[in-house]
Amino acid sequence: MLVNIKLNGKSVVSDIAADMTLYDFVRKHGCYSVKCGCETSNCGLCTVFLDEKPVLSCSVLAVRADKCSVTTLEGIQEEASEFVTFIADQGAEQCGFCNPGFVMNAIALFRENPYPDENEIREFLSGNLCRCSGYEGQLRGILNYIKAKKEKELQ
């Protein structure tokens, strides 16, 4: 099947198998930030934006993304760069495997609600698996980022 997917702003035309997942497609095209930890839609590591909405790429057929825009962490480096330092400052990236999924989902949250409260953050990120840190470091990093963003806007 021939698909035309706008991947991180660039048109990619590819002949794919009907059962190829979006996860396999983005990895095949060099987007290695996208990880697969479960293949059952439970871990959030494979999160990408499909037409600006977060989806689990292991659960979406690549053909569904035909004529759509797909964005991975590689495509939003500038948007993510300031935020990820707050996560790192909390030691919440011990092995780093879950970070891309957390970052993609946090950015989706910030786009939807620039100033979420702690409960909204916990709920939005509940689908992300992290075996190293217990999630508290990520939560502190997000809260510190929001606080710094508010302070910056007041200046």
Side-chain angles (χ1 to χ4, degrees), residues 3 7 10-11 13 17-18 32-33 39 45 47 61 80 83-84 88-89 95-97 107 140 146 151:
V3 294
L7 180 59
K10 295 178 184 171
S11 182
V13 178
Y32 300 117
S33 69
E39 295 181 16
L45 274 65
T47 301
L61 292 175
F83 166 66
V84 297
D89 286 347
C95 80
F97 195 69
I107 288 173
R140 284 191 310 271
I146 292 167
E151 289 171 359

Side-chain angles (χ1 to χ4, degrees), residues 11-102:
S11 182
V12 177
V13 178
S14 187
D15 191 16
I16 64 168
D19 63 346
M20 178 182 238
T21 64
L22 187 54
Y23 167 78
D24 289 325
F25 181 87
V26 298
R27 297 279 298 187
K28 179 181 176 188
H29 290 91
C31 299
Y32 300 117
S33 69
V34 183
K35 307 286 194 293
C36 193
C38 69
E39 295 181 16
T40 60
S41 306
N42 286 311
C43 71
L45 274 65
C46 67
T47 301
V48 300
F49 295 156
L50 178 59
D51 286 338
E52 301 302 317
K53 299 290 183 202
V55 299
L56 300 171
S57 64
C58 75
S59 299
V60 175
L61 292 175
V63 71
R64 292 263 189 196
D66 186 32
K67 297 179 181 56
C68 294
S69 174
V70 174
T71 307
T72 67
L73 188 56
E74 287 87 352
I76 57 169
Q77 287 295 303
E78 191 174 317
E79 186 175 1
S81 64
E82 184 180 2
F83 166 66
V84 297
T85 61
F86 285 87
I87 298 294
D89 286 347
Q90 294 300 315
E93 57 173 13
Q94 291 178 24
C95 80
F97 195 69
C98 69
N99 270 10
F102 263 107

